[in-house]
Amino acid sequence: MAIIEINSAELVGMINKNSKKKYSKKEILDKLNELGVDVELEIREGEEIFIIEVFPNRPDLLSKHGIARALRLFLGTDKPKTYRARKSNYRIIIDESVRNVRPFTACAVVKGLRLSNEDIRDIIILQEKLHQTLCRNRRKAAIGIYPMEKIKWPITYKALKPEKIRFKPLGINKEMNGIEILEMHPTGQEYAGLLEGKNKYPIFIDAKNNILSMPPIINSEDTGKITEETRDVFIEVSGFDPEFLNKVLSIIVTSLIDMGGILYEVEMNYPYSALKGKKKYKSPDLTMEKLVIDLREVKKLVGVGISEREAVRLLERMGIIYRNKIAYIPPYRIDIFSHADIAEEIAISYGYSNIEGELPELATIGAMDNKHRIIEMISDICIGMGLLEVKNYSLINREEALRTSKKRPIRIINAKNSNYNTLRPSLLASILNTLKRWMHEEYPQRIFEIGEVFIRKEEYDGPMKDEWIENNIAEPLMLGIGIAGSNEDFSRAKIIVETMLGILGKKAEYKPLKDKRFINGRAARIILNGKDIGIIGELHPEIIEYYGLEMPISFIEIDLEKII
Amino acid sequence: MSNISLSRNEKKALLRILDKAKSIEEISKETGLSIDQARSALERLYAKGLVEKKIKETTIVKLKKENQEYRKIGLPEKRLLELLKEKPLSIKEINKLFGREATPAIGALKRKAAIEIIEEGGIKKVKIIRNPEEIRIIEQEFIEKLPIELEKIKDLDLLAYKNLEKRKIIELETRKEYYYLGNKKAKRIVETEEFNKEYEEKLTPEMLRYGTWRNKEFRPYEIHSPVKKARVGRHHLLRVFIRKIREILLSLGFEEMQGPIINPEFWNFDALFVPQDHPAREMQDTFYLDMYTSNIDEAIFKKVDKMHRKGLGKGKGWGIPLDKDKSRRLLPRTHTTVLSARTLNKLDLSTLPRKFFAIGRVYRNESLDWKHLFDLHQIEGIVVGENLSLKHLIGYLKEIYKKLGYDKIKVKPSFFPFTEPSAEVYVYVKEKDQWIELGGSGILRPEVTKPLLGKPIPVLAWGLGLERIIMLKEGIRDIRKIYEPELGEAMYREIKWQ
């Protein structure tokens, strides 16, 4: 989750500006919490800061202006406003060459900014946080912001062979070509993967042939750096989905407008269709999205008795205008899909804490699942025989899996911790891991575990479930028992099996088992009605030694799927 | 005084150590008790404060391990003397017979002035020069008395000891031994009537069979004696909590769900309206297998795909079609909500309203530390029925958390990809005087329920980490302790949540 930090005095100032009612820090903190962000006040180096955690569905809150806008609406200080772009002659020409590289861009110009250092920081933070979250580390979209004064219009968006691209990348006072930037510039190295396999790289280039940037990697040192002197900026977002790019651009330009900027449109000229199927259109598109919403459905979902007028007022405080069965969604919101989202907006506006909980009259009958009934019954029998229940992680490492089972291990391909990168194929590793942890404790130790193991379909001979067949992986429920101590042996283990099966009304047969995990001649297959249901035996010294244990251990594993 | 009760063995032992401190061995010999019985009786007397215990070190003289055979076959000089009694032997012959022992043997006999070496025809011979019957080998006699306390060696033995020590045939060893001596209290107690009374130790089956118990009196026990704890079989902490929580949910009319741990991305994510490029689906958060399901039901796949592309009739979707290869990829489930999705898909709407719950394993690609597990348990509940609302969700949350022991709860807006509205639950924890986040909830999005149920019937959903509530209730700080307890904790831990 993204976290943004805002100086408390600054935020309080932004909220109370032109407001009749003056809000305290505490009130602002509470209201932010009601709005659905996690907030804490923290003092750091003498400065008091709001630490705000923003959920991924609200990227429009990733700047202080975004927070202030939402809060001023919520408090009723501001009414929802319509954001509009002024007409202009700015033009972007999109060249056919980007079609197979990075086909789309959304652009805008904002003028008349008077940026303080904090404002610049806020813009950069917004850009960075959007890159990280909504834009999926620049994979879905990359944002560039440029001072206008050095740009000669029109701008062209095209792709060139990387060796033909030469400019000074941000932070370096030396011209480099496209390949050198990806190999040597730190930002280039970080995002090089995004251009992998492309034989041409995209650039924005102005009418004087100055390269502004090479998206999604980096801006130019000469033309791509905003400062306190910057008044007018050009903004572009490049990527693969014109609708999405327009959304990202909307979040940025509405914040810049809230900072006092004036938005100008830019004419997009594509050789192929882009936003809403058009080739030539004005960007950005800030029209409010219209959703047909049945307010009755919404109110039913919230469950509080409110009039339509009240609902409209509540929605207004969330920046949403509702008129004639249509909800108008502000252009910076990306998270409104249907009436359920409108219901949440109303609920937040109404205040979750103001909703009285109520239990509906729903007569239903509780029931325990059969598999869990079996688990409880078997575990009770084991406890009755004096066995101690243990629980282990169901992931183990690959070598353990190979040592404790003959089955082909099923690997997790991306486990952070290589000690736990394989689904356990047997409970033997689990039992031995517990015994190892307790090796300096008093013996005998008699333990059991009930849990799923994971076996490829073709290696499993028990009853199959539909999902197991589809997945090609069976997840049978197993009972594993380990008894360790100088006098624990095969016959003591057999007493346990016989007693348990006896309680379940069953009688097993035993057939010799040749298995490297057990001492030769001291292991058996447990057979019920002609079918193998498990194994029993004295563990081979080799496996005991592998776990660093120094005590004879007998082990039992019974497939509970086969005896249910 | 009268509350000190003594067993028959203790009495026997005590009577022997009133005047003189004795070792366990001595008591065993004197009373006929076995060494173990004697030790245990003396130790119990000590525990009851009736005897003093003193450690006594004694130095013992014994044959070295490698010289043990001298006891049986005799010292070399003894053996040589026997041979010389027959006839004189040449040095050469003696060397041949005695090897390394030849020189010490001759030396020892010479010092006793028992032999002399003569030369006959250029050959050196050894012959006895005294009456053989008068020659005493005191060293041999001494060896036969070993082991012996150093202090107790006297007269000739002292001489033999010195000779043998010089020849490094014997060695010294320090033994520690406890000696027990009855104290004043013991002397008083043996005079009491209680002590001298004939008690029966045990009620036996024979006494019951023949009725002989009638004229017996049984020895009163020392009820304060400490005992060891029993080794017990016991349920794991997770099972204890699973049972308690299951009981609560069953009592509220919830049915338990069951389903596979391994699931395709389709059921774990797609069916819950989580877009395929959502960050939660990335490698650093979710475990993946390099295996694929061979079958996703075509009808439900089409419905979910349409929802991702276009959304609800009047609403909108993600605008991105499902990539079926991605949908088919298998993973260990990241939440039990996948069970809810599968359950809803199979639900017969004519049976509504219904309530379901699950308590099951879920997986996250985390490293293992005091705060994080990669393999943990989630509790999940859903309520399916027409006309359900956020008000009812809050109603259920209040009821469930009350049963979990939290009378005061707060709900706060939150975000989950598959619920809208969504709410986080905070509970007030009295002991900490703190509001603590304990679970998430919401109403499943119509984008989730429409494809699964055929129409967007409200489904209230609620989830909570099982390990989290265990930690909170049991005061466990390190989450790993739940899976990796000490043996003592596993066997004897007190369950605080009663």
Side-chain angles (χ1 to χ4, degrees), chain A residues 80-82 247 286-293 315-316 318-333 336 342 345:
Chain A
K81 75 173 166 201
T82 333
K247 273 286 174 206
L286 293 181
T287 33
M288 289 184 140
E289 208 168 345
K290 292 177 214 161
L291 278 183
V292 180
I293 297 292
L315 280 175
E316 229 172 52
M318 303 305 287
I320 293 167
I321 298 164
Y322 185 79
R323 224 177 282 134
N324 301 329
K325 296 195 186 320
I326 293 172
Y328 294 85
I329 314 300
Y332 51 82
R333 290 294 294 270
I336 310 286
I342 300 293
E345 298 294 312

Side-chain angles (χ1 to χ4, degrees), chain B residues 295-408:
Chain B
N295 180 37
I296 298 172
D297 179 69
E298 198 55 36
I300 184 68
F301 182 81
K302 273 190 180 150
K303 285 185 211 163
V304 171
D305 173 59
K306 190 178 165 205
M307 195 54 75
H308 275 248
R309 283 185 290 116
K310 294 191 168 164
L312 276 182
K314 289 176 247 163
K316 57 167 189 165
W318 295 110
I320 306 168
L322 292 182
D323 171 356
K324 200 164 187 177
D325 284 339
K326 192 163 168 53
S327 297
R328 286 176 52 238
R329 176 135 72 144
L330 293 174
L331 47 76
R333 66 189 178 208
T334 63
H335 46 202
T336 45
T337 316
V338 61
L339 290 176
S340 296
R342 282 181 179 274
T343 302
L344 293 175
N345 186 45
K346 282 185 282 193
L347 193 58
D348 175 358
L349 295 191
S350 69
T351 63
L352 295 187
R354 297 276 289 274
K355 301 181 194 132
F356 299 96
F357 80 99
I359 307 170
R361 275 185 193 267
V362 297
Y363 298 77
R364 307 279 159 81
N365 196 358
E366 294 277 4
S367 44
L368 187 63
D369 61 39
W370 68 281
K371 265 168 105 171
H372 299 98
L373 295 177
F374 49 79
D375 178 354
L376 59 165
H377 287 75
Q378 195 181 336
I379 309 159
E380 158 126 351
I382 55 172
V383 183
V384 194
E386 301 276 7
N387 304 322
L388 289 173
S389 68
L390 187 57
K391 174 179 70 182
H392 299 127
L393 174 67
I394 294 172
Y396 273 110
L397 292 173
K398 285 193 169 153
E399 193 64 29
I400 291 167
Y401 280 89
K402 195 157 83 190
K403 296 210 173 203
L404 290 174
Y406 302 103
D407 292 338
K408 272 164 78 182

